[in-house]
């Protein structure tokens, strides 16, 4: 998360130093928003896990990174076993501990 935050801020600064590219300014704004969302979700995951032993919100943070920040081929299917497991955990009722979440994130 630190690296993503640093990159988003650096990109925003670079774009802000120029006056001729509104499209890049919009992209920088979107990236800052998505990185801030991923950081907030990760922070919340840690707090919720400490109180209730449920780290599922960290999976949401990862999905923001994967689907809103990371560049990818828009015509490639992204569904795989790990993505399916993440969706099952997010849609399920059972709390998911940090170890299990960590294993999913490592596999993603």
């Amino acid at each position: 998360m630190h690296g993503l935050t640093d990159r988003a801020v650096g990109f925003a600064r670079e774009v802000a130093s120029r006056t001729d590219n509104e499209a890049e300014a919009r992209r920088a704004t979107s990236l800052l928003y998505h990185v801030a969302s991923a950081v907030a979700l990760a922070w919340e995951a840690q707090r919720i896990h400490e109180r209730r032993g449920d780290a599922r919100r960290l999976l949401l943070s990862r999905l923001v990174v994967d689907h809103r920040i990371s560049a990818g081929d828009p015509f490639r299917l992204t569904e795989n076993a790990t993505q399916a497991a993440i969706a099952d955990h997010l849609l399920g009722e059972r709390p998911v501990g940090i170890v299990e979440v960590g294993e999913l994130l490592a596999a993603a």
Side-chain angles (χ1 to χ4, degrees), residues 4-48:
L4 283 175
T5 303
D6 291 343
R7 289 181 67 201
V9 170
F11 181 65
R13 283 186 177 142
E14 180 182 348
V15 169
S17 71
R18 302 175 185 183
T19 60
D20 61 336
N21 53 2
E22 183 179 337
E24 293 298 331
R26 291 175 188 271
R27 190 164 65 105
T29 302
S30 292
L31 285 168
L32 286 168
Y33 170 80
H34 293 308
V35 168
S37 296
V39 169
L41 287 166
W43 179 83
E44 289 174 349
Q46 185 263 338
R47 302 273 302 188
I48 292 169

Side-chain angles (χ1 to χ4, degrees), residues 1-2 8 10 13 19 25 27 38 44 52-54 57 74-75 77 83 85 106-107:
M1 290 296 167
H2 289 282
R13 283 186 177 142
T19 60
R27 190 164 65 105
E44 289 174 349
R52 296 189 304 225
D54 189 358
R57 200 155 298 191
F75 300 105
L77 295 174
Q83 292 282 328

